[in-house]
Amino acid sequence: MKLFRFDEALDVNTATERELGARLERLWDKEPLLRPRPEMHDYQLTYPPAVQMEKREGYRRAPSDEEYLRDAVGAFDAAGYYFHFGFCKYRCRYCFHYELLTKHQDALMARYVDALSLEMRRVRELTPTIKPALFFLGGGTPTALPTYLLERFLRNLLFHFGPPATTMSTVEAKPVTASDDKLQALVQAGFRRINLGVQTLDPELYAFHHQKEEMRVALDAIERARRSGFEFINIDIMTGLERQTPESWRKTLAELERLATSGAVDSVFIYPYHDDPRSGTYGKPGAVPSFVQTAHSDAQARALFTRLGWKELGARFYRSPRHVRRELFELARVRVNPAYGEVLYHGLGNSSFSIGDRATFLNHRDVNDYCTAVEKGGLGIAYWRTLDDSQRATRDVTFDLLYSPFTRVRSRAKKYGAETMAHHRKQLERWAELGLGEENRLLGTFSLTPLGKLVHQQMLPQHYLAEDRRELDEAMQQRQQAGRRYRGY
């Protein structure tokens, strides 16, 4: 039985901001732990959280080859590989991540590209039979590299791993660095899906966050990517940006509808701005939209894509019917389940976070430390942590809540044991009572409702094991106290 039966008639996707705010207040009154916490700024997007691993000395080590094969690879026969490029032409106003500006950095970028090749070679030496199922080139942005270095990286990628196995393998690009020669090099290497970091489609807000750059730069990149041969184009959009107003969001939604209905873009990922202690807006009430205002923006976007007939496969990740058909076809063709716990996710490059079968690991954050590590013949791993079955179950459940259309409850219980899933079953029952999700007992799954998708990031820590929650709280408190002096994930 659900609580708040008097609210069931409220469609949160079409509710006014005031109606939605009242609904959220009633939710938080019933479940105070779901109220957003400024000191946490909802950063718990991995499990165990990357921010806590670097704070424990016991995790600071690289695994032996035997440990890597046993605990990272395990019984997996396929892998998704993420390649990190922490370089940018300029830092966007909303960004606080560790990145290096490309100016006067050609020598470092060349060293880095060569180090990536060394790590690729080492990975293939350790796992010659693993099937590379998916590539993701991100950062930062790989298109920040000079063309000759991007081409060098792509030649190394094809030599060590072969061409992308599916058209869903993706490259990120900052629109201003997506030149025709770089786009063509990526297409020639086999990439057919590109993710452009646009963030807003309000011209004034775009210029504010992109150092006075005109929004035409982003729209032109979308058009040129299509002409270059990219079959699937995604754009990232942020909610809750500094200076975002209801009017600026309406402009973004109107342009999103135009791009979607014209076929210019095939998928859209909408995600909230995280007001990190390193950002210029942190600790300044009113500098960014409130959680309710941001949630209302999220709900309006969901209403738009529902009306357009796009599918939300994972909270805030909208795909066109064409994109959905191709994605399902590709997954069936390569016979890979992309969920955590089902395939190895290995990140190459500095700052990369990886998920294995019974381990999670982080690469060196500093780019020079990373290069030195792989130049010595090893992997780039700086932090290593093995997981027990309870932690593996938690990892898989929280991943599903973040990115999957549904949470696999019965299959996780079968894999890790009913006792390890007892805590999660209890939480999921609670979410269903609060109207945040629905259980399908026939399929053994749990799916978020539109209301649940608005608060799903606040739901995640309630699934964490007690010791990991304590460690996360400690790490975030240290992060908050350090403010802009903080140097870490």
Side-chain angles (χ1 to χ4, degrees), residues 60-63 65 111-112 114-122 349-351 362-383:
R60 187 176 180 84
R61 69 182 186 88
D65 292 350
R111 183 189 182 197
Y112 185 74
D114 291 342
L116 283 174
S117 181
L118 290 173
E119 190 172 23
M120 281 189 270
R121 184 178 71 183
R122 186 66 186 131
N350 73 302
S351 294
L362 288 167
N363 281 7
H364 288 277
R365 177 174 170 77
D366 182 84
V367 65
N368 287 294
D369 290 345
Y370 163 76
C371 290
T372 298
V374 297
E375 286 164 356
K376 291 180 179 179
L379 297 173
I381 300 171
Y383 302 91

Side-chain angles (χ1 to χ4, degrees), residues 150-221:
L150 178 61
E151 291 174 339
R152 183 190 300 181
F153 165 78
L154 293 170
R155 286 195 300 271
N156 292 336
L157 175 67
L158 297 182
F159 178 79
H160 293 295
F161 286 100
T166 81
T167 52
M168 292 297 104
S169 286
T170 302
V171 57
E172 286 189 336
K174 196 167 190 168
V176 71
T177 61
S179 60
D180 285 342
D181 54 348
K182 295 177 186 178
L183 293 173
Q184 290 163 8
L186 290 161
V187 169
Q188 289 172 4
F191 285 90
R192 294 294 181 269
R193 186 172 185 274
I194 192 168
N195 180 19
L196 292 163
V198 176
Q199 317 311 349
T200 177
L201 289 165
D202 168 28
E204 184 176 333
L205 196 59
Y206 185 94
F208 176 71
H209 282 283
H210 296 91
Q211 296 197 1
K212 299 182 180 181
E213 185 177 292
E214 292 185 3
M215 196 178 80
R216 182 67 241 174
V217 172
L219 298 178
D220 181 61

